[in-house]
Amino acid sequence: MYDLKPSMERAEILLEALPYIRRFYNKTIVIKYGGHAMIDEELKHLFARDIVMMKYIGINPVVVHGGGPQIGSFLKKFGKDSQFIQGMRVTDAETMDIVEMVLVGKLNKEITGLINQHGGRAVGLSGKDGELTQAEKYFLSAEKAKDAPSEIIDLGLVGKVKKINAELLLSLEKDGFIPVIAPTGVGAAGETYNINADLVAGAVAAALQAEKLILLTDVQGVLGSEGTLINAMNESEAEELINAGVIAGGMFPKVKCCLKALKGGVKKTHIIDGRLKHAVLLEMFTDKGIGTEITYGACPKESPGGKIN
């Protein structure tokens, strides 16, 4: 007599996923890929397979990747120190060449190749390709003494997103391709800018009016004042936690990115733990989900399982 229990459990998992597959069919999901998930070999292959699966069941994933640690390693090899101001990498012309080489020439091709290796049709893109990410120079404003004017800091070739060429991405989606985007931008004179990957992902999600923006991180999600995971909140609650100093450090720009994407028309945003196997699938296709969901408007209501309906 065969033991049918494992097969029955797998069937239950598929049935749990069915309403979410139906809900997200033909919808765009933008995923910011970074952190440990981009370094661990097993997680890299699992992520690529998950992205391929999403495409095969009728969902349109768009991947925006980071690469900060890898850039830092290459800069060391070239004898250049990494200088950061408020978490932003100061980027001179020589550093920008290395950043572009690592993000576009190495990491983007590796991610694209892995997705294709597992049966997908991925296309790697930089901000220059089809003027996908039109950018302008970003100036950092730093507060000085009380009642004194803010100091404007020049970070070099660090940019901010001016416009996303959504038509290019929609055309690729329509033809069955999976866009994989490196976070560089092109200026009006053709210069290349280094842009924070979270900001690019948020801008892409807003331009495509995505159903979801998912940010992969190396933490559980947003933690409350007592250090426990916050499963769900809306933008008002997020702003309160920012003002109270609960959301700070590396989580601050990620939450701000989510809030900006929501204001731009993205339906829901998520900050999840990319160290977990199949993290994106767990968030999208299970009743409980993982990480923190941030929505816009009325206070979110959680189902008994913890996931917002």
PDB file of all heavy atoms in Angstrom, residues 112-138:
ATOM      1  N   THR A 112      20.316  36.970 -15.445  1.00  0.00           N
ATOM      2  CA  THR A 112      19.609  36.656 -16.687  1.00  0.00           C
ATOM      3  C   THR A 112      19.918  35.232 -17.131  1.00  0.00           C
ATOM      4  O   THR A 112      19.022  34.467 -17.517  1.00  0.00           O
ATOM      5  CB  THR A 112      20.019  37.647 -17.796  1.00  0.00           C
ATOM      6  OG1 THR A 112      19.716  38.976 -17.372  1.00  0.00           O
ATOM      7  CG2 THR A 112      19.280  37.351 -19.092  1.00  0.00           C
ATOM      8  N   GLY A 113      21.199  34.853 -17.055  1.00  0.00           N
ATOM      9  CA  GLY A 113      21.592  33.510 -17.464  1.00  0.00           C
ATOM     10  C   GLY A 113      20.978  32.421 -16.603  1.00  0.00           C
ATOM     11  O   GLY A 113      20.565  31.373 -17.111  1.00  0.00           O
ATOM     12  N   LEU A 114      20.895  32.661 -15.277  1.00  0.00           N
ATOM     13  CA  LEU A 114      20.303  31.671 -14.379  1.00  0.00           C
ATOM     14  C   LEU A 114      18.819  31.469 -14.688  1.00  0.00           C
ATOM     15  O   LEU A 114      18.330  30.340 -14.695  1.00  0.00           O
ATOM     16  CB  LEU A 114      20.474  32.105 -12.926  1.00  0.00           C
ATOM     17  CG  LEU A 114      21.761  31.705 -12.222  1.00  0.00           C
ATOM     18  CD1 LEU A 114      21.793  32.293 -10.818  1.00  0.00           C
ATOM     19  CD2 LEU A 114      21.904  30.186 -12.161  1.00  0.00           C
ATOM     20  N   ILE A 115      18.102  32.550 -14.911  1.00  0.00           N
ATOM     21  CA  ILE A 115      16.668  32.437 -15.230  1.00  0.00           C
ATOM     22  C   ILE A 115      16.494  31.666 -16.537  1.00  0.00           C
ATOM     23  O   ILE A 115      15.637  30.775 -16.646  1.00  0.00           O
ATOM     24  CB  ILE A 115      16.018  33.829 -15.306  1.00  0.00           C
ATOM     25  CG1 ILE A 115      15.995  34.476 -13.917  1.00  0.00           C
ATOM     26  CG2 ILE A 115      14.590  33.733 -15.868  1.00  0.00           C
ATOM     27  CD1 ILE A 115      15.540  35.916 -13.906  1.00  0.00           C
ATOM     28  N   ASN A 116      17.322  31.976 -17.542  1.00  0.00           N
ATOM     29  CA  ASN A 116      17.233  31.258 -18.813  1.00  0.00           C
ATOM     30  C   ASN A 116      17.631  29.795 -18.659  1.00  0.00           C
ATOM     31  O   ASN A 116      17.043  28.910 -19.293  1.00  0.00           O
ATOM     32  CB  ASN A 116      18.117  31.943 -19.852  1.00  0.00           C
ATOM     33  CG  ASN A 116      17.577  33.312 -20.254  1.00  0.00           C
ATOM     34  OD1 ASN A 116      16.388  33.580 -20.076  1.00  0.00           O
ATOM     35  ND2 ASN A 116      18.428  34.170 -20.769  1.00  0.00           N
ATOM     36  N   GLN A 117      18.603  29.529 -17.812  1.00  0.00           N
ATOM     37  CA  GLN A 117      19.051  28.163 -17.559  1.00  0.00           C
ATOM     38  C   GLN A 117      17.919  27.302 -17.014  1.00  0.00           C
ATOM     39  O   GLN A 117      17.833  26.097 -17.299  1.00  0.00           O
ATOM     40  CB  GLN A 117      20.219  28.178 -16.567  1.00  0.00           C
ATOM     41  CG  GLN A 117      20.747  26.810 -16.175  1.00  0.00           C
ATOM     42  CD  GLN A 117      21.841  26.913 -15.115  1.00  0.00           C
ATOM     43  OE1 GLN A 117      22.555  27.896 -15.028  1.00  0.00           O
ATOM     44  NE2 GLN A 117      21.944  25.882 -14.285  1.00  0.00           N
ATOM     45  N   HIS A 118      17.033  27.925 -16.228  1.00  0.00           N
ATOM     46  CA  HIS A 118      15.922  27.190 -15.620  1.00  0.00           C
ATOM     47  C   HIS A 118      14.639  27.273 -16.442  1.00  0.00           C
ATOM     48  O   HIS A 118      13.554  26.992 -15.927  1.00  0.00           O
ATOM     49  CB  HIS A 118      15.692  27.690 -14.203  1.00  0.00           C
ATOM     50  CG  HIS A 118      16.773  27.274 -13.245  1.00  0.00           C
ATOM     51  ND1 HIS A 118      16.887  25.985 -12.781  1.00  0.00           N
ATOM     52  CD2 HIS A 118      17.812  27.962 -12.696  1.00  0.00           C
ATOM     53  CE1 HIS A 118      17.930  25.893 -11.967  1.00  0.00           C
ATOM     54  NE2 HIS A 118      18.511  27.077 -11.897  1.00  0.00           N
ATOM     55  N   GLY A 119      14.757  27.658 -17.715  1.00  0.00           N
ATOM     56  CA  GLY A 119      13.610  27.579 -18.620  1.00  0.00           C
ATOM     57  C   GLY A 119      12.889  28.873 -18.896  1.00  0.00           C
ATOM     58  O   GLY A 119      11.844  28.868 -19.570  1.00  0.00           O
ATOM     59  N   GLY A 120      13.406  29.998 -18.392  1.00  0.00           N
ATOM     60  CA  GLY A 120      12.766  31.283 -18.642  1.00  0.00           C
ATOM     61  C   GLY A 120      13.288  31.956 -19.893  1.00  0.00           C
ATOM     62  O   GLY A 120      14.190  31.449 -20.572  1.00  0.00           O
ATOM     63  N   ARG A 121      12.729  33.111 -20.203  1.00  0.00           N
ATOM     64  CA  ARG A 121      13.185  33.935 -21.330  1.00  0.00           C
ATOM     65  C   ARG A 121      13.469  35.330 -20.775  1.00  0.00           C
ATOM     66  O   ARG A 121      12.691  36.261 -20.940  1.00  0.00           O
ATOM     67  CB  ARG A 121      12.134  33.988 -22.436  1.00  0.00           C
ATOM     68  CG  ARG A 121      11.786  32.642 -23.043  1.00  0.00           C
ATOM     69  CD  ARG A 121      10.673  32.784 -24.061  1.00  0.00           C
ATOM     70  NE  ARG A 121      11.104  33.526 -25.245  1.00  0.00           N
ATOM     71  CZ  ARG A 121      10.284  34.230 -26.020  1.00  0.00           C
ATOM     72  NH1 ARG A 121       8.992  34.332 -25.707  1.00  0.00           N
ATOM     73  NH2 ARG A 121      10.738  34.864 -27.079  1.00  0.00           N
ATOM     74  N   ALA A 122      14.597  35.444 -20.093  1.00  0.00           N
ATOM     75  CA  ALA A 122      14.955  36.704 -19.445  1.00  0.00           C
ATOM     76  C   ALA A 122      15.758  37.588 -20.379  1.00  0.00           C
ATOM     77  O   ALA A 122      16.534  37.103 -21.208  1.00  0.00           O
ATOM     78  CB  ALA A 122      15.746  36.431 -18.170  1.00  0.00           C
ATOM     79  N   VAL A 123      15.573  38.892 -20.234  1.00  0.00           N
ATOM     80  CA  VAL A 123      16.326  39.880 -21.002  1.00  0.00           C
ATOM     81  C   VAL A 123      16.957  40.856 -20.014  1.00  0.00           C
ATOM     82  O   VAL A 123      16.252  41.501 -19.227  1.00  0.00           O
ATOM     83  CB  VAL A 123      15.411  40.651 -21.981  1.00  0.00           C
ATOM     84  CG1 VAL A 123      16.199  41.747 -22.686  1.00  0.00           C
ATOM     85  CG2 VAL A 123      14.811  39.702 -23.003  1.00  0.00           C
ATOM     86  N   GLY A 124      18.285  40.959 -20.035  1.00  0.00           N
ATOM     87  CA  GLY A 124      18.986  41.880 -19.153  1.00  0.00           C
ATOM     88  C   GLY A 124      18.979  43.289 -19.707  1.00  0.00           C
ATOM     89  O   GLY A 124      19.188  43.503 -20.907  1.00  0.00           O
ATOM     90  N   LEU A 125      18.738  44.255 -18.830  1.00  0.00           N
ATOM     91  CA  LEU A 125      18.637  45.660 -19.245  1.00  0.00           C
ATOM     92  C   LEU A 125      19.394  46.566 -18.280  1.00  0.00           C
ATOM     93  O   LEU A 125      19.378  46.346 -17.069  1.00  0.00           O
ATOM     94  CB  LEU A 125      17.172  46.108 -19.274  1.00  0.00           C
ATOM     95  CG  LEU A 125      16.226  45.368 -20.224  1.00  0.00           C
ATOM     96  CD1 LEU A 125      14.785  45.667 -19.836  1.00  0.00           C
ATOM     97  CD2 LEU A 125      16.496  45.767 -21.661  1.00  0.00           C
ATOM     98  N   SER A 126      20.034  47.584 -18.824  1.00  0.00           N
ATOM     99  CA  SER A 126      20.576  48.665 -18.011  1.00  0.00           C
ATOM    100  C   SER A 126      19.700  49.891 -18.236  1.00  0.00           C
ATOM    101  O   SER A 126      18.812  49.875 -19.096  1.00  0.00           O
ATOM    102  CB  SER A 126      22.022  48.970 -18.409  1.00  0.00           C
ATOM    103  OG  SER A 126      22.053  49.670 -19.651  1.00  0.00           O
ATOM    104  N   GLY A 127      19.968  50.944 -17.500  1.00  0.00           N
ATOM    105  CA  GLY A 127      19.180  52.154 -17.674  1.00  0.00           C
ATOM    106  C   GLY A 127      19.337  52.796 -19.040  1.00  0.00           C
ATOM    107  O   GLY A 127      18.465  53.534 -19.504  1.00  0.00           O
ATOM    108  N   LYS A 128      20.455  52.475 -19.707  1.00  0.00           N
ATOM    109  CA  LYS A 128      20.713  53.049 -21.031  1.00  0.00           C
ATOM    110  C   LYS A 128      19.942  52.346 -22.142  1.00  0.00           C
ATOM    111  O   LYS A 128      19.699  52.938 -23.191  1.00  0.00           O
ATOM    112  CB  LYS A 128      22.212  52.982 -21.340  1.00  0.00           C
ATOM    113  CG  LYS A 128      23.073  53.938 -20.538  1.00  0.00           C
ATOM    114  CD  LYS A 128      24.533  53.826 -20.945  1.00  0.00           C
ATOM    115  CE  LYS A 128      25.398  54.850 -20.226  1.00  0.00           C
ATOM    116  NZ  LYS A 128      26.819  54.718 -20.578  1.00  0.00           N
ATOM    117  N   ASP A 129      19.589  51.092 -21.928  1.00  0.00           N
ATOM    118  CA  ASP A 129      18.918  50.319 -22.981  1.00  0.00           C
ATOM    119  C   ASP A 129      17.522  50.876 -23.238  1.00  0.00           C
ATOM    120  O   ASP A 129      16.639  50.805 -22.384  1.00  0.00           O
ATOM    121  CB  ASP A 129      18.830  48.840 -22.575  1.00  0.00           C
ATOM    122  CG  ASP A 129      20.190  48.191 -22.474  1.00  0.00           C
ATOM    123  OD1 ASP A 129      21.024  48.437 -23.367  1.00  0.00           O
ATOM    124  OD2 ASP A 129      20.426  47.452 -21.510  1.00  0.00           O
ATOM    125  N   GLY A 130      17.339  51.418 -24.437  1.00  0.00           N
ATOM    126  CA  GLY A 130      16.054  52.030 -24.765  1.00  0.00           C
ATOM    127  C   GLY A 130      15.703  53.185 -23.862  1.00  0.00           C
ATOM    128  O   GLY A 130      14.536  53.505 -23.706  1.00  0.00           O
ATOM    129  N   GLU A 131      16.741  53.812 -23.266  1.00  0.00           N
ATOM    130  CA  GLU A 131      16.518  54.870 -22.267  1.00  0.00           C
ATOM    131  C   GLU A 131      15.505  54.407 -21.230  1.00  0.00           C
ATOM    132  O   GLU A 131      14.576  55.116 -20.876  1.00  0.00           O
ATOM    133  CB  GLU A 131      16.075  56.175 -22.923  1.00  0.00           C
ATOM    134  CG  GLU A 131      17.159  56.820 -23.773  1.00  0.00           C
ATOM    135  CD  GLU A 131      16.823  58.257 -24.143  1.00  0.00           C
ATOM    136  OE1 GLU A 131      15.641  58.535 -24.424  1.00  0.00           O
ATOM    137  OE2 GLU A 131      17.743  59.092 -24.130  1.00  0.00           O
ATOM    138  N   LEU A 132      15.723  53.179 -20.742  1.00  0.00           N
ATOM    139  CA  LEU A 132      14.788  52.591 -19.790  1.00  0.00           C
ATOM    140  C   LEU A 132      14.654  53.429 -18.525  1.00  0.00           C
ATOM    141  O   LEU A 132      13.547  53.712 -18.064  1.00  0.00           O
ATOM    142  CB  LEU A 132      15.252  51.180 -19.423  1.00  0.00           C
ATOM    143  CG  LEU A 132      14.507  50.496 -18.279  1.00  0.00           C
ATOM    144  CD1 LEU A 132      13.030  50.315 -18.627  1.00  0.00           C
ATOM    145  CD2 LEU A 132      15.141  49.155 -17.940  1.00  0.00           C
ATOM    146  N   THR A 133      15.796  53.816 -17.941  1.00  0.00           N
ATOM    147  CA  THR A 133      15.775  54.591 -16.695  1.00  0.00           C
ATOM    148  C   THR A 133      16.418  55.947 -16.957  1.00  0.00           C
ATOM    149  O   THR A 133      17.639  56.082 -16.961  1.00  0.00           O
ATOM    150  CB  THR A 133      16.537  53.857 -15.567  1.00  0.00           C
ATOM    151  OG1 THR A 133      16.048  52.521 -15.463  1.00  0.00           O
ATOM    152  CG2 THR A 133      16.352  54.570 -14.241  1.00  0.00           C
ATOM    153  N   GLN A 134      15.583  56.933 -17.212  1.00  0.00           N
ATOM    154  CA  GLN A 134      16.083  58.288 -17.412  1.00  0.00           C
ATOM    155  C   GLN A 134      16.309  58.915 -16.035  1.00  0.00           C
ATOM    156  O   GLN A 134      15.441  58.851 -15.171  1.00  0.00           O
ATOM    157  CB  GLN A 134      15.094  59.094 -18.243  1.00  0.00           C
ATOM    158  CG  GLN A 134      14.894  58.526 -19.642  1.00  0.00           C
ATOM    159  CD  GLN A 134      13.757  59.181 -20.386  1.00  0.00           C
ATOM    160  OE1 GLN A 134      13.558  60.391 -20.275  1.00  0.00           O
ATOM    161  NE2 GLN A 134      12.995  58.406 -21.150  1.00  0.00           N
ATOM    162  N   ALA A 135      17.492  59.493 -15.862  1.00  0.00           N
ATOM    163  CA  ALA A 135      17.890  59.927 -14.524  1.00  0.00           C
ATOM    164  C   ALA A 135      18.419  61.353 -14.531  1.00  0.00           C
ATOM    165  O   ALA A 135      18.710  61.929 -15.589  1.00  0.00           O
ATOM    166  CB  ALA A 135      18.956  58.982 -13.970  1.00  0.00           C
ATOM    167  N   GLU A 136      18.531  61.902 -13.346  1.00  0.00           N
ATOM    168  CA  GLU A 136      19.169  63.189 -13.152  1.00  0.00           C
ATOM    169  C   GLU A 136      19.983  63.126 -11.866  1.00  0.00           C
ATOM    170  O   GLU A 136      19.789  62.239 -11.038  1.00  0.00           O
ATOM    171  CB  GLU A 136      18.131  64.320 -13.084  1.00  0.00           C
ATOM    172  CG  GLU A 136      17.083  64.153 -12.015  1.00  0.00           C
ATOM    173  CD  GLU A 136      15.970  65.174 -12.146  1.00  0.00           C
ATOM    174  OE1 GLU A 136      15.945  65.917 -13.142  1.00  0.00           O
ATOM    175  OE2 GLU A 136      15.120  65.234 -11.230  1.00  0.00           O
ATOM    176  N   LYS A 137      20.886  64.053 -11.731  1.00  0.00           N
ATOM    177  CA  LYS A 137      21.813  64.056 -10.597  1.00  0.00           C
ATOM    178  C   LYS A 137      21.065  64.210  -9.276  1.00  0.00           C
ATOM    179  O   LYS A 137      20.109  64.978  -9.173  1.00  0.00           O
ATOM    180  CB  LYS A 137      22.815  65.193 -10.767  1.00  0.00           C
ATOM    181  CG  LYS A 137      23.992  65.161  -9.795  1.00  0.00           C
ATOM    182  CD  LYS A 137      24.975  66.280 -10.137  1.00  0.00           C
ATOM    183  CE  LYS A 137      26.131  66.337  -9.169  1.00  0.00           C
ATOM    184  NZ  LYS A 137      26.994  65.154  -9.261  1.00  0.00           N
ATOM    185  N   TYR A 138      21.526  63.452  -8.278  1.00  0.00           N
ATOM    186  CA  TYR A 138      20.928  63.501  -6.954  1.00  0.00           C
ATOM    187  C   TYR A 138      21.854  64.252  -6.008  1.00  0.00           C
ATOM    188  O   TYR A 138      23.046  63.951  -5.911  1.00  0.00           O
ATOM    189  CB  TYR A 138      20.702  62.082  -6.421  1.00  0.00           C
ATOM    190  CG  TYR A 138      20.190  62.026  -5.004  1.00  0.00           C
ATOM    191  CD1 TYR A 138      18.853  62.281  -4.727  1.00  0.00           C
ATOM    192  CD2 TYR A 138      21.036  61.710  -3.947  1.00  0.00           C
ATOM    193  CE1 TYR A 138      18.378  62.234  -3.424  1.00  0.00           C
ATOM    194  CE2 TYR A 138      20.574  61.653  -2.648  1.00  0.00           C
ATOM    195  CZ  TYR A 138      19.237  61.913  -2.385  1.00  0.00           C
ATOM    196  OH  TYR A 138      18.776  61.870  -1.101  1.00  0.00           O
TER     197      TYR A 138
END
